[in-house]
Amino acid sequence: MKYLSFIVLIALFFSCKRDKLDINVSKVDVTVTTTRVDELLFEKDPGTYSSNLEKIKTDHRGFFDLYSNYVLKIGTFETPGFETYLKSFISDSVISRVADSVHFVFNDFRKTEKQIAEGFKHYKTYFPYRPIPKVYTFISGFNQSIITGDSVVGIGLDKYLGADCVFYNYLGIPQYKSATMTPQKIVPDLFYALFITEFPYRDSIDNLLSNMIYQGKALYFVEAMCPSLPDSVIAGYSPKQIKWCKQNEASMWTFLVEQKQLYDIERLTLQRYTGDAPFTNTFSNESPGKTGNWIGWRIIQSFMKKNPEVTLPQLLEITNAQDILSRSGYFPE
């Protein structure tokens, strides 16, 4: 009976963990149709290039100006020499090989598109008056993963070709970064970028705690949009790293408190705990980077569990990190 009770408790833990976020969105009317700008530009039939470019200019000008100006950095259609620069990018031998790889990996984008639509159904439920952005895909020359603009979001597919992609090795991208450059990261990265755009950092105090809480909100937002995703995919960690964080959560928190790190305003301290890195050097080489973000996420989860009357939009309006920590009851053991 004790063994059975233990199994029941484990089952309850995993089934209840996201009850507040696991909402029924089956009747929410959201349709996502992705415009494959990468395919329009890198169409194998050279006879379609002019008509495809005209289609982009006529139907997708807002996004393409964002893409060409800020990702490719060649200006817009009005920029002198623009089409020459664009053709030079498209005809580059390396970029052409990249386009072939993108086509191979993402020939069928329907599964990812469906996941994006599910995420936007949750977004529409929580934020009914915010517009659903149009979705585009592009090739960035390894410059950008996700870009956002006025009611548009773009996905740089060449940044999601898989951890073992030969191009990433050629470019010298560290393994801890390429490990997250997979198709599975597209959806959480998209909603993380949407959060950063729609809900910018607004805390009046720029210390470690406020940054941890902000990043914790970002991860909780992604969790709310994508409740079926495992923690590892949301956080960009391996399952082994998630396990390490859970096993060492109490000791990490104790260190931050005892060493008075939470209210440190030094950029180096903020970077150490919330910035991209192979590991957090004050903890262990086995730790992942950005452990401060993960702890911030755990604080937000604790806060929302402790304050069930608070909705997601209301949470995002709270800009006092200390208030959130105090009301969270967060105390890992």
Side-chain angles (χ1 to χ4, degrees), residues 65-329:
D65 282 353
L66 181 71
Y67 166 59
S68 63
N69 203 22
Y70 294 100
V71 178
L72 300 185
K73 301 186 185 303
I74 59 174
T76 63
F77 283 102
E78 289 76 23
T79 303
F82 173 78
E83 291 201 27
T84 300
Y85 297 141
L86 183 60
K87 285 183 178 179
S88 177
F89 172 73
I90 294 169
S91 61
D92 181 89
S93 60
V94 175
I95 295 299
S96 295
R97 289 171 56 205
V98 172
D100 289 341
S101 294
V102 166
H103 180 74
F104 177 78
V105 175
F106 297 105
N107 182 42
D108 187 348
F109 200 66
R110 286 174 297 181
K111 180 180 178 181
T112 302
E113 190 174 69
K114 184 178 179 181
Q115 292 172 335
I116 293 171
E118 281 296 303
F120 277 126
K121 286 182 178 182
H122 286 82
Y123 183 74
K124 193 68 175 177
T125 301
Y126 288 112
F127 308 99
Y129 301 110
R130 289 179 180 264
I132 302 299
K134 295 180 180 179
V135 179
Y136 294 84
T137 62
F138 60 91
I139 291 172
S140 72
F142 306 106
N143 285 332
Q144 204 76 32
S145 300
I146 306 291
I147 59 173
T148 59
D150 185 15
S151 297
V152 297
V153 60
I155 305 163
L157 294 181
D158 50 331
K159 296 293 289 286
Y160 297 100
L161 292 173
D164 58 352
C165 173
V166 66
F167 295 113
Y168 303 157
N169 186 47
Y170 288 158
L171 291 167
I173 295 174
Q175 192 277 330
Y176 78 92
K177 287 188 176 182
S178 63
T180 65
M181 297 169 71
T182 65
Q184 292 75 25
K185 278 293 288 175
I186 288 176
V187 178
D189 281 2
L190 185 154
F191 285 103
Y192 178 87
L194 184 66
F195 173 85
I196 298 298
T197 302
E198 297 291 325
F199 307 99
Y201 182 89
R202 291 190 294 134
D203 201 303
S204 59
I205 302 173
D206 192 20
N207 58 24
L208 178 60
L209 176 63
S210 60
N211 280 269
M212 287 169 56
I213 293 298
Y214 179 72
Q215 292 296 334
K217 285 181 180 180
L219 292 171
Y220 188 83
F221 176 87
V222 176
E223 182 184 9
M225 300 306 110
C226 315
S228 63
L229 287 182
D231 289 356
S232 57
V233 176
I234 293 173
Y237 289 170
S238 68
K240 183 178 179 181
Q241 289 172 324
I242 285 289
K243 182 178 180 181
W244 187 95
C245 285
K246 290 179 177 179
Q247 290 176 337
N248 293 275
E249 182 177 0
S251 59
M252 286 192 292
W253 180 247
T254 299
F255 177 87
L256 292 174
V257 172
E258 291 183 348
Q259 297 300 314
K260 298 181 172 56
Q261 300 279 280
L262 291 177
Y263 305 104
D264 197 324
I265 61 173
E266 293 295 327
R267 282 286 119 193
L268 186 61
T269 302
L270 271 56
Q271 176 65 27
R272 181 180 300 126
Y273 296 107
T274 65
D276 216 7
F279 56 88
T280 306
N281 59 18
T282 52
F283 294 144
S284 162
N285 287 5
E286 296 180 2
S287 69
K290 298 192 274 192
T291 48
N293 299 355
W294 187 82
I295 294 173
W297 185 17
R298 296 289 289 149
I299 293 171
I300 295 298
Q301 288 174 330
S302 181
F303 174 89
M304 294 302 280
K305 183 177 180 181
K306 192 87 169 177
N307 301 273
E309 76 285 356
V310 177
T311 65
L312 177 61
Q314 289 170 340
L315 166 70
L316 302 185
E317 288 298 316
I318 303 173
T319 58
N320 188 321
Q322 183 60 54
D323 180 46
I324 289 178
L325 176 61
S326 299
R327 293 167 60 189
S328 70

Side-chain angles (χ1 to χ4, degrees), residues 23-31 117-118 120-125 128:
I23 57 178
N24 186 354
V25 296
S26 60
K27 295 183 179 180
V28 180
D29 185 18
V30 170
T31 301
E118 281 296 303
F120 277 126
K121 286 182 178 182
H122 286 82
Y123 183 74
K124 193 68 175 177
T125 301

